[in-house]
Amino acid sequence: MCVNYRPPTPEMFNGRIGAFSQLPRDWQWPEETWKDYTAPILRAAPGLAPQACVASYGMVPRRHIPPDVKPFDTMNARAESLVERRSFAPAWRRLQLCAVPMLWFYEPCYESGRAERTAIGMRDASLFWVAGLWREWQEADGGMANAFTQITINADTHPLMRRMHRPGDEKRSLVLLGDDEVGDWLASRDLDVARSFLRHFPAEAMKAWPAPLAPRRVAAAAQSPAPVNGELF
């Protein structure tokens, strides 16, 4: 599933959240988001008004995985097993919901016979949101930090998302939210209500285009371990 995406700039993010709390203008984040990178989110929970913050991508940051435990990834949370996975169940039951802003995200498309990095976003190129969960972690210095994951659903029948990933693999999609859905998603006070948002976004409002890595990025990626979408904990 999605392990890399393009977040909005700080100016774009602050310009879109209007009624929500704004981030300080001097806060920054990388122009592409990968595991353990910081990125902006809107978070909420019962008793907590929607709030903008910067959080680490992956519900369990690598720095919080004990040294005797094999590293695992928690960037994506399967909707079908939210109540079963230790990394996600507490936040889901507590309705610690977040909305992750994006300009586009990346998936591999094999229609040419080999994996081609493909960007997926809105047909009108607008910013959109992805449904997710968040939690807090206490850091070594005693401070608190936020982390988040994105929720995914089966996409075997979605006209666009079923084109992604290796032939024979299950097709998955992020849960995309429009601007008019974000407030209601974050305001969910019942698990059934929250689950009603875990549905497909209209394919006709989306588009996909080739997005190959630049040569220097390809070389750097070849020297790094390949990301694995593990949801074992």
Side-chain angles (χ1 to χ4, degrees), residues 52-200:
C53 69
V54 170
S56 178
Y57 182 30
M59 202 68 158
V60 183
R62 180 71 176 262
R63 63 186 178 276
H64 287 287
I65 298 177
D68 58 340
V69 174
K70 182 179 179 180
F72 56 94
D73 291 338
T74 52
M75 293 170 286
N76 299 305
R78 294 173 65 94
E80 300 87 341
S81 57
L82 286 174
V83 297
E84 302 167 9
R85 303 297 189 184
R86 290 191 314 223
S87 294
F88 312 124
W92 173 244
R93 293 192 182 105
R94 295 168 187 154
L95 290 170
Q96 292 177 193
L97 309 178
C98 71
V100 185
M102 297 185 189
L103 297 176
W104 58 80
F105 58 95
Y106 298 100
E107 299 285 8
C109 181
Y110 284 80
E111 291 178 333
S112 68
R114 59 185 179 84
E116 293 189 354
R117 188 173 188 250
T118 301
I120 300 167
M122 294 294 100
R123 185 165 294 280
D124 63 2
S126 63
L127 181 152
F128 60 96
W129 306 83
V130 169
L133 304 173
W134 66 274
R135 65 161 294 174
E136 288 185 323
W137 288 94
Q138 183 166 15
E139 301 298 340
D141 62 2
M144 301 300 294
N146 296 298
F148 71 96
T149 187
Q150 304 167 133
I151 301 175
T152 73
I153 54 178
N154 178 274
D156 287 346
T157 62
H158 191 270
L160 190 153
M161 296 307 300
R162 70 184 181 190
R163 296 170 46 201
M164 304 300 145
H165 294 278
R166 191 185 304 275
D169 286 355
E170 181 193 7
K171 310 305 180 182
R172 304 291 300 178
S173 175
L174 298 177
V175 176
L176 276 58
L177 302 170
D179 277 339
D180 59 341
E181 297 179 300
V182 172
D184 291 338
W185 159 250
L186 295 175
S188 297
R189 293 297 177 264
D190 179 273
L191 289 178
D192 288 336
V193 172
R195 192 171 288 281
S196 72
F197 287 90
L198 307 185
R199 58 185 185 267
H200 284 299

